[in-house]
Amino acid sequence: MMCSLMMKALKIILMKMNDRKYCDMDFDLDSPDLELLDRIEPPDELFKILLDIMKRLRSDRGCLWDREQDHGSLKKSLIEETYETVEAIESGDPESLNEELGDLLLQVVFHGQIADEEGSFNTASIIRAIIKKLLRRHPHVFDGTRASSSREILAKWEDIKKEERKNSKKDKDSIFSGIPKSLPSLHYAYEIQNRASRLGFDWDGPSDVYEKIIEELKELKEEADRDNREAISAELGDLLFSIVNYGRHLGVDIEKSLKDTGRRFIERFKLMEKMAEEKDLDFSSLSLKEKDRLWEIAKKRYHL
């Protein structure tokens, strides 16, 4: 009987050991075993190793460059990694996306370690805050309330965010609080319009926005004829704002639309240069008429 109980206990222990597989304690930063790292599966164990690496990099035994960084100096890296992640998504390459998401995660861990050293917050508080936010903003999932549509969910979110703003140090009186001013201009305009729309301040449909674009275009031309530089800038902004609004009503991602146009232009221009080179022509010395002729050929060959 005792032997049977001991065997069952041993079996349970072995099962638990097998579940945990390779504990992060076995991973030695002084002699990193990459083969062992490849065999570690639980995300929490890998995350602990990542935290330990960042702590080491910021220590006296670590990297001088990493120790010199602060929240401000990392802003550029954070923006670059974010855009590289977006580019990986657009490329449709899972391997590239996997790598770029890792670089983005590193930025979060980096800021968490710096804040921990300063005593302001840490990685645990970052995770705890987002968990609480997800629970708070999804009562239809975690609190027994119901929502019958995405529109209803979004409306509820605005109510929840309004309550959150009352206890926030940010601007408490506006639905526009929380929109980062550092967003790309087109995205910034879209977010402003989208939030205003949630409160019912919006055009009835695309045709109304189109008429507004025509109106703004005429006003821009009038100011351009007067050569009023300040007014030209304001009217051009109004026109772009209306175009973003038109794209929003048509369900078009205006940021992607403009990016795709830029990509097409580059590919067509490269094709023009290639055609000129194949004919032993110096592209830069060609007349505008000759370049236009090549451009029309390039448009037909590269139309997507």
Side-chain angles (χ1 to χ4, degrees):
M1 180 70 175
M2 182 63 70
C3 181
S4 176
L5 289 173
M6 290 179 63
M7 289 298 292
K8 287 183 179 180
L10 180 59
K11 184 177 181 180
I12 292 173
I13 292 172
L14 289 173
M15 287 175 63
K16 288 185 176 181
M17 289 178 65
N18 185 58
D19 287 340
R20 282 190 59 80
K21 290 188 178 180
Y22 306 93
C23 178
D24 58 83
M25 292 172 56
D26 295 332
F27 191 81
D28 187 356
L29 293 182
D30 292 322
S31 55
D33 183 346
L34 298 186
E35 290 185 0
L36 170 60
L37 187 65
D38 286 336
R39 296 196 299 271
I40 299 175
E41 294 295 337
D44 57 332
E45 292 183 16
L46 290 168
F47 190 65
K48 174 63 166 57
I49 294 171
L50 177 60
L51 293 177
D52 289 343
I53 289 174
M54 179 50 63
K55 189 173 183 178
R56 169 71 69 86
L57 290 174
R58 293 277 299 176
S59 73
D60 293 336
R61 298 173 59 195
C63 171
L64 177 60
W65 184 89
D66 287 295
R67 287 201 302 272
E68 290 176 342
Q69 304 312 304
D70 57 27
H71 294 306
S73 68
L74 290 174
K75 287 190 298 183
K76 185 173 181 290
S77 296
L78 179 58
I79 292 171
E80 287 177 354
E81 297 300 351
T82 302
Y83 278 116
E84 287 175 11
T85 301
V86 171
E87 190 170 318
I89 292 172
E90 293 176 347
S91 74
D93 182 359
E95 185 176 341
S96 177
L97 179 57
N98 180 77
E99 179 181 351
E100 296 303 338
L101 285 172
D103 292 342
L104 196 56
L105 176 60
L106 173 61
Q107 292 297 310
V108 176
V109 170
F110 210 148
H111 283 279
Q113 178 62 34
I114 292 172
D116 192 18
E117 295 164 5
E118 295 173 345
S120 52
F121 59 88
N122 55 36
T123 304
S125 67
I126 294 172
I127 297 172
R128 186 179 300 109
I130 190 59
I131 289 173
K132 288 182 177 180
K133 181 180 286 186
L134 287 170
L135 294 173
R136 188 171 60 247
R137 293 189 178 181
H138 292 80
H140 55 287
V141 177
F142 302 108
D143 197 24
T145 59
R146 292 184 179 182
S148 58
S149 66
S150 294
R151 181 182 293 273
E152 187 178 341
I153 290 171
L154 290 174
K156 184 63 177 176
W157 276 350
E158 288 306 323
D159 291 338
I160 294 171
K161 290 176 186 178
K162 188 174 182 180
E163 287 299 313
E164 290 175 350
R165 287 195 292 269
K166 291 180 180 179
N167 300 316
S168 172
K169 295 179 181 178
K170 299 177 182 179
D171 182 3
K172 300 178 182 180
D173 301 322
S174 174
I175 191 175
F176 303 115
S177 64
I179 301 179
K181 294 181 177 61
S182 57
L183 279 177
S185 299
L186 294 178
H187 191 179
Y188 184 62
Y190 174 88
E191 285 298 326
I192 291 171
Q193 295 164 0
N194 195 41
R195 295 197 184 195
S197 178
R198 292 179 199 171
L199 294 184
F201 189 77
D202 201 354
W203 298 96
D204 291 333
S207 59
D208 297 318
V209 187
Y210 180 79
E211 292 301 322
K212 183 64 176 177
I213 290 175
I214 300 302
E215 176 187 323
E216 296 295 353
L217 190 58
K218 289 179 180 178
E219 292 177 1
L220 174 61
K221 179 65 167 59
E222 290 172 1
E223 297 302 339
D225 290 342
R226 297 189 186 102
D227 197 25
N228 186 335
R229 310 309 297 177
E230 186 175 346
I232 290 172
S233 178
E235 293 299 340
L236 189 57
D238 290 345
L239 177 61
L240 291 171
F241 194 81
S242 295
I243 291 173
V244 171
N245 215 355
Y246 191 48
R248 183 176 65 86
H249 274 269
L250 293 174
V252 174
D253 183 341
I254 196 72
E255 190 84 37
K256 182 179 183 301
S257 180
L258 184 58
K259 180 70 68 65
D260 287 345
T261 295
R263 175 180 55 80
R264 286 194 299 271
F265 182 90
I266 290 172
E267 293 303 323
R268 288 168 178 169
F269 200 94
K270 287 163 61 177
L271 185 55
M272 288 169 59
E273 292 177 311
K274 183 179 179 181
M275 288 188 291
E277 183 180 351
E278 289 173 348
K279 295 179 180 180
D280 292 325
L281 299 173
D282 179 13
F283 181 79
S284 61
S285 63
L286 294 177
S287 67
L288 182 58
K289 185 176 181 180
E290 290 172 312
K291 289 174 181 175
D292 281 338
R293 189 179 301 116
L294 290 176
W295 177 256
E296 290 303 320
I297 296 172
K299 279 178 65 177
K300 291 178 182 178
R301 291 189 187 180
Y302 194 96
H303 60 277
L304 297 177

